[in-house]
Amino acid sequence: MQRFVVVLMAIVMAVLVGARLWSPTAAALHAEEATPLRQPRTHVEMPAPPGQAEENAAAPKPPELAPGQQVTIELTEPPAPRYLSVKTDGNDEFYGRLVREESHGRAVFDPSLGRAAREFVYQFSNLGMDPPSDVRTFLTTSSGAIAGDTVFQHLRSNSDAESALRQAIRAVLDGSTTGAGLLHLGIGEVYQPGASLMRHIGVVGTKLGIDVDPMERQVALGESWRLRGRLRTQWRNLEALVLRPNGALDKLPVQLTGDRLEVAVSGEDVPGAVELQVVGEGPDGPGKLVQVRVEVGQPLPTRYEATLPPDESALRTASAAAAYAMQLLNADRQKHKVPLLSWDVALADIAKEHSADMRDNKFFGHVSPTTGMHPDRLAKAKYLAIASAENVAHNPSIFEAELGLMHSLGHRRNILDPELTHVGIGVAGAEDDQGRMRWWLTQLFARPTPHLTPEAAVAEVRRQLAVQRQELDLPELAADAGLDDVADQALTFAVNDQLQDASNRALALAQERHAMHGRLRVWTAVTADLAQLQWPDAVKLPASRALGVAAAQREDGRVALVLLVAETN
């Protein structure tokens, strides 16, 4: 996600990115459903000779689950008490050797991700479908794994040969894992006696630009904690967001010492979960560096209540998918008591082009090789905005896309930002070889720049200054025609970003015309939002009595203004 806010002379950019990309691909999915195990086996050896086994007709089938149904996800292993604390065993050493050989050093085996892969495979078999994005997040966190954008590969086989594992590993190595950093792979297996294909292999891949230090997943009430790690790649403009148990979303400082990163999180006085996300600009553009969840004053969860994606089979066109995405987006705004967004056709056209660009040119992210970042796309379309932000997602359903964005803190902040008033949603779809849709989605938010006549701009400045004076119990500054004319004569310099020249010109003219009223102060500025200006102290002084103002909106939508404040003799 990206966010851009324009204030005064600067474009202040807060980049909030890293949409969770869950892009499951199937190397060898078969029509028959697998029977879930009570206790999944995690070793490599097959319980039966290799080859095609006869399906046991008495083997139970997974339950028939309806779209939109509520389900309870239960872990098959106790939750990991710490992040990155899974101990390696002989199986992991075996998997690690395969990863090294197949990747030629491009990837490393991660035992915590291996545990997550086992959970993924088991839940896939239990649900008869790929687990939704929020379920995958729960399973990854419960396994004590650290993951960014992730690819999941599921393969069924009746062979105990290494070739099946190598095939699944290669599929992830060749997949569309996004992000900057080293590729981490987790491998897990589940055997299901009685099924026609008993061996289920899962491989999870994620690129991480940081090596996170092992840390606790649970702290006591009032206890502070820290996220520490070492950056593997160059990141700029790092920012930490924290979601508190009461729903508040705060920003925390990121401390960098060389390549060492640290974020301190204060303790909570109420039980609940705290989520922390670090985002910034990496080698491939804006992205999410890491997101972790810590339980405060409560046990680590062993189950998760989830809602399966609803039936979206009727969404066969991009326009229908975009309309549904808008419905879900405003439903989240309404749920959190934030004013609803207005649909903006111009923003939708820009967003639609970016989604099609990602699909057609096989990339995922905010930075396009041809159109740059979203402010570049806005500028090309001559769309003027006081503030703007972008979310992108790539999912098998629109429901999962919105769900995933709400679970990613940077994207969540964009969705629930009350300062953003308009949105355009662009969707591009494509069918896989089994006729299932996949969607590339772009949410482009903005607070459009209002068109202001010079008279309207001056009136707004006077109104705001009157409010400032009233709050200080001071009389309103009197309008002075002579000072207004001086300000207007100096305004051309301000329009051209020559602020110092504008101030000098105003002072010189005031002296020439004997327009000085005691002490005279001149203040100049260029801003995209008059409401965000920090007015000079001169307008708050009791001795200040008269005011001269000139303002004009430039072609880029920003307002240039010259302010003269005079004290009485």
Side-chain angles (χ1 to χ4, degrees), residues 310 315 319-335 340-341 343 398-399 402 415 423 425 441 443:
L315 300 180
S319 58
Y324 180 49
M326 179 66 176
Q327 177 186 334
L328 295 176
L329 175 62
N330 264 337
D332 280 329
R333 299 265 294 194
Q334 186 175 36
K335 179 181 177 181
L340 301 186
L341 292 160
W343 181 263
I398 300 299
F399 177 86
E402 178 66 15
I415 290 173
V423 71
I425 300 176
L441 178 143
Q443 298 171 335

mmCIF file of all heavy atoms in Angstrom, residues 310 315 319-335 340-341 343 398-399 402 415 423 425 441 443:
data_model
loop_
_atom_site.group_PDB
_atom_site.id
_atom_site.type_symbol
_atom_site.label_atom_id
_atom_site.label_comp_id
_atom_site.label_asym_id
_atom_site.label_seq_id
_atom_site.Cartn_x
_atom_site.Cartn_y
_atom_site.Cartn_z
ATOM 1 N N PRO A 310 -17.494 -16.512 0.200
ATOM 2 C CA PRO A 310 -18.803 -16.778 -0.391
ATOM 3 C C PRO A 310 -18.664 -17.215 -1.843
ATOM 4 O O PRO A 310 -17.575 -17.146 -2.438
ATOM 5 C CB PRO A 310 -19.518 -15.429 -0.285
ATOM 6 C CG PRO A 310 -18.408 -14.420 -0.252
ATOM 7 C CD PRO A 310 -17.268 -15.086 0.451
ATOM 8 N N LEU A 315 -19.307 -13.675 -10.524
ATOM 9 C CA LEU A 315 -18.403 -12.565 -10.860
ATOM 10 C C LEU A 315 -17.498 -12.994 -12.004
ATOM 11 O O LEU A 315 -16.372 -13.439 -11.794
ATOM 12 C CB LEU A 315 -17.573 -12.166 -9.644
ATOM 13 C CG LEU A 315 -18.325 -11.696 -8.402
ATOM 14 C CD1 LEU A 315 -17.346 -11.346 -7.289
ATOM 15 C CD2 LEU A 315 -19.207 -10.491 -8.723
ATOM 16 N N SER A 319 -15.965 -5.531 -14.087
ATOM 17 C CA SER A 319 -16.838 -4.493 -13.531
ATOM 18 C C SER A 319 -17.674 -5.038 -12.378
ATOM 19 O O SER A 319 -17.874 -4.366 -11.366
ATOM 20 C CB SER A 319 -17.740 -3.915 -14.624
ATOM 21 O OG SER A 319 -18.532 -4.930 -15.222
ATOM 22 N N ALA A 320 -18.174 -6.280 -12.523
ATOM 23 C CA ALA A 320 -18.943 -6.891 -11.435
ATOM 24 C C ALA A 320 -18.060 -7.130 -10.222
ATOM 25 O O ALA A 320 -18.478 -6.916 -9.073
ATOM 26 C CB ALA A 320 -19.571 -8.194 -11.910
ATOM 27 N N ALA A 321 -16.830 -7.573 -10.453
ATOM 28 C CA ALA A 321 -15.900 -7.804 -9.349
ATOM 29 C C ALA A 321 -15.553 -6.493 -8.644
ATOM 30 O O ALA A 321 -15.455 -6.447 -7.416
ATOM 31 C CB ALA A 321 -14.642 -8.481 -9.877
ATOM 32 N N ALA A 322 -15.373 -5.414 -9.410
ATOM 33 C CA ALA A 322 -15.049 -4.117 -8.810
ATOM 34 C C ALA A 322 -16.216 -3.600 -7.971
ATOM 35 O O ALA A 322 -16.017 -3.023 -6.897
ATOM 36 C CB ALA A 322 -14.685 -3.115 -9.896
ATOM 37 N N ALA A 323 -17.442 -3.802 -8.454
ATOM 38 C CA ALA A 323 -18.616 -3.360 -7.693
ATOM 39 C C ALA A 323 -18.714 -4.119 -6.371
ATOM 40 O O ALA A 323 -19.027 -3.538 -5.325
ATOM 41 C CB ALA A 323 -19.879 -3.567 -8.527
ATOM 42 N N TYR A 324 -18.438 -5.421 -6.402
ATOM 43 C CA TYR A 324 -18.464 -6.218 -5.181
ATOM 44 C C TYR A 324 -17.339 -5.789 -4.237
ATOM 45 O O TYR A 324 -17.530 -5.698 -3.016
ATOM 46 C CB TYR A 324 -18.344 -7.703 -5.536
ATOM 47 C CG TYR A 324 -18.357 -8.635 -4.363
ATOM 48 C CD1 TYR A 324 -19.325 -8.530 -3.365
ATOM 49 C CD2 TYR A 324 -17.398 -9.637 -4.242
ATOM 50 C CE1 TYR A 324 -19.335 -9.399 -2.288
ATOM 51 C CE2 TYR A 324 -17.405 -10.515 -3.162
ATOM 52 C CZ TYR A 324 -18.372 -10.388 -2.189
ATOM 53 O OH TYR A 324 -18.383 -11.245 -1.119
ATOM 54 N N ALA A 325 -16.169 -5.502 -4.792
ATOM 55 C CA ALA A 325 -15.050 -5.034 -3.972
ATOM 56 C C ALA A 325 -15.395 -3.714 -3.279
ATOM 57 O O ALA A 325 -15.031 -3.496 -2.117
ATOM 58 C CB ALA A 325 -13.800 -4.874 -4.831
ATOM 59 N N MET A 326 -16.106 -2.832 -3.979
ATOM 60 C CA MET A 326 -16.521 -1.564 -3.384
ATOM 61 C C MET A 326 -17.492 -1.807 -2.237
ATOM 62 O O MET A 326 -17.417 -1.154 -1.185
ATOM 63 C CB MET A 326 -17.174 -0.686 -4.452
ATOM 64 C CG MET A 326 -17.664 0.663 -3.950
ATOM 65 S SD MET A 326 -16.291 1.725 -3.426
ATOM 66 C CE MET A 326 -17.181 3.237 -3.016
ATOM 67 N N GLN A 327 -18.386 -2.761 -2.418
ATOM 68 C CA GLN A 327 -19.343 -3.103 -1.364
ATOM 69 C C GLN A 327 -18.626 -3.584 -0.106
ATOM 70 O O GLN A 327 -18.942 -3.156 1.004
ATOM 71 C CB GLN A 327 -20.300 -4.176 -1.883
ATOM 72 C CG GLN A 327 -21.297 -4.688 -0.868
ATOM 73 C CD GLN A 327 -22.109 -5.853 -1.409
ATOM 74 O OE1 GLN A 327 -22.295 -6.004 -2.613
ATOM 75 N NE2 GLN A 327 -22.593 -6.691 -0.526
ATOM 76 N N LEU A 328 -17.651 -4.467 -0.267
ATOM 77 C CA LEU A 328 -16.900 -4.980 0.876
ATOM 78 C C LEU A 328 -16.075 -3.887 1.543
ATOM 79 O O LEU A 328 -15.969 -3.833 2.781
ATOM 80 C CB LEU A 328 -15.983 -6.116 0.424
ATOM 81 C CG LEU A 328 -16.659 -7.384 -0.102
ATOM 82 C CD1 LEU A 328 -15.602 -8.367 -0.604
ATOM 83 C CD2 LEU A 328 -17.526 -8.022 0.970
ATOM 84 N N LEU A 329 -15.489 -3.021 0.737
ATOM 85 C CA LEU A 329 -14.651 -1.941 1.257
ATOM 86 C C LEU A 329 -15.474 -1.004 2.142
ATOM 87 O O LEU A 329 -15.093 -0.697 3.281
ATOM 88 C CB LEU A 329 -14.023 -1.169 0.099
ATOM 89 C CG LEU A 329 -13.208 0.071 0.437
ATOM 90 C CD1 LEU A 329 -12.013 -0.291 1.300
ATOM 91 C CD2 LEU A 329 -12.758 0.776 -0.837
ATOM 92 N N ASN A 330 -16.616 -0.550 1.654
ATOM 93 C CA ASN A 330 -17.432 0.365 2.451
ATOM 94 C C ASN A 330 -18.074 -0.336 3.641
ATOM 95 O O ASN A 330 -18.365 0.308 4.661
ATOM 96 C CB ASN A 330 -18.498 1.033 1.579
ATOM 97 C CG ASN A 330 -18.063 2.402 1.090
ATOM 98 O OD1 ASN A 330 -17.194 3.041 1.691
ATOM 99 N ND2 ASN A 330 -18.658 2.872 0.011
ATOM 100 N N ALA A 331 -18.286 -1.645 3.538
ATOM 101 C CA ALA A 331 -18.795 -2.389 4.695
ATOM 102 C C ALA A 331 -17.780 -2.359 5.830
ATOM 103 O O ALA A 331 -18.148 -2.224 7.009
ATOM 104 C CB ALA A 331 -19.125 -3.827 4.299
ATOM 105 N N ASP A 332 -16.488 -2.463 5.494
ATOM 106 C CA ASP A 332 -15.451 -2.364 6.522
ATOM 107 C C ASP A 332 -15.382 -0.955 7.100
ATOM 108 O O ASP A 332 -15.177 -0.776 8.311
ATOM 109 C CB ASP A 332 -14.100 -2.782 5.947
ATOM 110 C CG ASP A 332 -13.921 -4.290 5.881
ATOM 111 O OD1 ASP A 332 -14.489 -4.987 6.739
ATOM 112 O OD2 ASP A 332 -13.230 -4.778 4.967
ATOM 113 N N ARG A 333 -15.550 0.051 6.265
ATOM 114 C CA ARG A 333 -15.572 1.435 6.764
ATOM 115 C C ARG A 333 -16.748 1.629 7.727
ATOM 116 O O ARG A 333 -16.592 2.219 8.798
ATOM 117 C CB ARG A 333 -15.687 2.414 5.598
ATOM 118 C CG ARG A 333 -14.568 2.390 4.589
ATOM 119 C CD ARG A 333 -13.501 3.395 4.849
ATOM 120 N NE ARG A 333 -13.923 4.766 4.708
ATOM 121 C CZ ARG A 333 -13.055 5.794 4.627
ATOM 122 N NH1 ARG A 333 -11.753 5.564 4.637
ATOM 123 N NH2 ARG A 333 -13.484 7.035 4.524
ATOM 124 N N GLN A 334 -17.905 1.130 7.329
ATOM 125 C CA GLN A 334 -19.099 1.282 8.161
ATOM 126 C C GLN A 334 -18.950 0.542 9.490
ATOM 127 O O GLN A 334 -19.331 1.048 10.549
ATOM 128 C CB GLN A 334 -20.320 0.767 7.402
ATOM 129 C CG GLN A 334 -21.647 0.997 8.111
ATOM 130 C CD GLN A 334 -22.823 0.568 7.251
ATOM 131 O OE1 GLN A 334 -22.746 -0.410 6.518
ATOM 132 N NE2 GLN A 334 -23.913 1.304 7.340
ATOM 133 N N LYS A 335 -18.369 -0.653 9.439
ATOM 134 C CA LYS A 335 -18.173 -1.457 10.652
ATOM 135 C C LYS A 335 -17.313 -0.721 11.668
ATOM 136 O O LYS A 335 -17.527 -0.839 12.883
ATOM 137 C CB LYS A 335 -17.532 -2.786 10.273
ATOM 138 C CG LYS A 335 -17.242 -3.702 11.456
ATOM 139 C CD LYS A 335 -16.592 -4.997 10.983
ATOM 140 C CE LYS A 335 -16.239 -5.901 12.159
ATOM 141 N NZ LYS A 335 -15.586 -7.158 11.690
ATOM 142 N N LEU A 340 -18.326 6.651 4.713
ATOM 143 C CA LEU A 340 -18.194 5.841 3.511
ATOM 144 C C LEU A 340 -17.454 6.596 2.420
ATOM 145 O O LEU A 340 -17.490 7.826 2.347
ATOM 146 C CB LEU A 340 -19.578 5.420 3.006
ATOM 147 C CG LEU A 340 -20.438 4.604 3.986
ATOM 148 C CD1 LEU A 340 -21.715 4.134 3.289
ATOM 149 C CD2 LEU A 340 -19.675 3.423 4.554
ATOM 150 N N LEU A 341 -16.778 5.850 1.557
ATOM 151 C CA LEU A 341 -16.040 6.433 0.441
ATOM 152 C C LEU A 341 -16.965 6.656 -0.745
ATOM 153 O O LEU A 341 -17.904 5.887 -0.977
ATOM 154 C CB LEU A 341 -14.900 5.499 0.023
ATOM 155 C CG LEU A 341 -13.761 5.338 1.034
ATOM 156 C CD1 LEU A 341 -12.969 4.076 0.754
ATOM 157 C CD2 LEU A 341 -12.847 6.556 1.000
ATOM 158 N N TRP A 343 -17.414 6.779 -4.845
ATOM 159 C CA TRP A 343 -16.815 6.177 -6.037
ATOM 160 C C TRP A 343 -16.329 7.280 -6.971
ATOM 161 O O TRP A 343 -17.032 8.262 -7.219
ATOM 162 C CB TRP A 343 -17.819 5.288 -6.752
ATOM 163 C CG TRP A 343 -17.267 4.610 -7.963
ATOM 164 C CD1 TRP A 343 -17.382 5.015 -9.261
ATOM 165 C CD2 TRP A 343 -16.512 3.395 -7.986
ATOM 166 N NE1 TRP A 343 -16.740 4.137 -10.093
ATOM 167 C CE2 TRP A 343 -16.197 3.126 -9.349
ATOM 168 C CE3 TRP A 343 -16.071 2.513 -7.014
ATOM 169 C CZ2 TRP A 343 -15.465 2.014 -9.730
ATOM 170 C CZ3 TRP A 343 -15.344 1.403 -7.398
ATOM 171 C CH2 TRP A 343 -15.046 1.155 -8.745
ATOM 172 N N ILE A 398 -12.484 -12.052 -4.458
ATOM 173 C CA ILE A 398 -12.520 -10.662 -4.020
ATOM 174 C C ILE A 398 -12.682 -10.594 -2.502
ATOM 175 O O ILE A 398 -12.106 -9.726 -1.841
ATOM 176 C CB ILE A 398 -13.673 -9.920 -4.731
ATOM 177 C CG1 ILE A 398 -13.479 -9.960 -6.254
ATOM 178 C CG2 ILE A 398 -13.759 -8.479 -4.247
ATOM 179 C CD1 ILE A 398 -12.214 -9.302 -6.751
ATOM 180 N N PHE A 399 -13.449 -11.520 -1.960
ATOM 181 C CA PHE A 399 -13.647 -11.579 -0.513
ATOM 182 C C PHE A 399 -12.311 -11.740 0.205
ATOM 183 O O PHE A 399 -12.028 -11.042 1.187
ATOM 184 C CB PHE A 399 -14.582 -12.752 -0.185
ATOM 185 C CG PHE A 399 -14.813 -12.968 1.284
ATOM 186 C CD1 PHE A 399 -15.803 -12.274 1.959
ATOM 187 C CD2 PHE A 399 -14.047 -13.887 2.002
ATOM 188 C CE1 PHE A 399 -16.018 -12.476 3.313
ATOM 189 C CE2 PHE A 399 -14.260 -14.102 3.347
ATOM 190 C CZ PHE A 399 -15.257 -13.392 4.011
ATOM 191 N N GLU A 402 -10.092 -8.445 0.114
ATOM 192 C CA GLU A 402 -10.431 -7.443 1.128
ATOM 193 C C GLU A 402 -10.060 -7.931 2.522
ATOM 194 O O GLU A 402 -9.550 -7.166 3.348
ATOM 195 C CB GLU A 402 -11.924 -7.122 1.058
ATOM 196 C CG GLU A 402 -12.415 -6.131 2.107
ATOM 197 C CD GLU A 402 -11.858 -4.729 1.947
ATOM 198 O OE1 GLU A 402 -11.306 -4.423 0.857
ATOM 199 O OE2 GLU A 402 -11.973 -3.931 2.893
ATOM 200 N N ILE A 415 -7.560 1.760 4.279
ATOM 201 C CA ILE A 415 -8.988 1.467 4.156
ATOM 202 C C ILE A 415 -9.807 2.269 5.160
ATOM 203 O O ILE A 415 -10.904 2.749 4.849
ATOM 204 C CB ILE A 415 -9.225 -0.049 4.346
ATOM 205 C CG1 ILE A 415 -8.673 -0.816 3.136
ATOM 206 C CG2 ILE A 415 -10.706 -0.361 4.531
ATOM 207 C CD1 ILE A 415 -8.700 -2.325 3.301
ATOM 208 N N VAL A 423 -12.591 6.832 -3.770
ATOM 209 C CA VAL A 423 -11.860 5.636 -4.155
ATOM 210 C C VAL A 423 -12.281 5.206 -5.548
ATOM 211 O O VAL A 423 -13.416 5.436 -5.979
ATOM 212 C CB VAL A 423 -12.104 4.479 -3.149
ATOM 213 C CG1 VAL A 423 -13.520 3.930 -3.269
ATOM 214 C CG2 VAL A 423 -11.088 3.363 -3.329
ATOM 215 N N ILE A 425 -11.742 1.522 -7.782
ATOM 216 C CA ILE A 425 -11.262 0.143 -7.693
ATOM 217 C C ILE A 425 -11.184 -0.436 -9.089
ATOM 218 O O ILE A 425 -12.156 -0.390 -9.846
ATOM 219 C CB ILE A 425 -12.176 -0.724 -6.806
ATOM 220 C CG1 ILE A 425 -12.231 -0.147 -5.392
ATOM 221 C CG2 ILE A 425 -11.682 -2.165 -6.772
ATOM 222 C CD1 ILE A 425 -13.174 -0.877 -4.468
ATOM 223 N N LEU A 441 -6.297 -6.881 -7.974
ATOM 224 C CA LEU A 441 -7.167 -5.802 -7.498
ATOM 225 C C LEU A 441 -6.331 -4.602 -7.069
ATOM 226 O O LEU A 441 -5.316 -4.748 -6.391
ATOM 227 C CB LEU A 441 -8.022 -6.301 -6.329
ATOM 228 C CG LEU A 441 -8.968 -5.296 -5.674
ATOM 229 C CD1 LEU A 441 -10.280 -5.982 -5.268
ATOM 230 C CD2 LEU A 441 -8.329 -4.661 -4.426
ATOM 231 N N GLN A 443 -6.965 -0.825 -5.218
ATOM 232 C CA GLN A 443 -7.791 0.200 -4.581
ATOM 233 C C GLN A 443 -6.992 1.494 -4.596
ATOM 234 O O GLN A 443 -5.912 1.564 -4.005
ATOM 235 C CB GLN A 443 -8.120 -0.182 -3.134
ATOM 236 C CG GLN A 443 -8.927 -1.445 -2.976
ATOM 237 C CD GLN A 443 -9.025 -1.874 -1.510
ATOM 238 O OE1 GLN A 443 -8.162 -1.526 -0.694
ATOM 239 N NE2 GLN A 443 -10.048 -2.632 -1.160
#
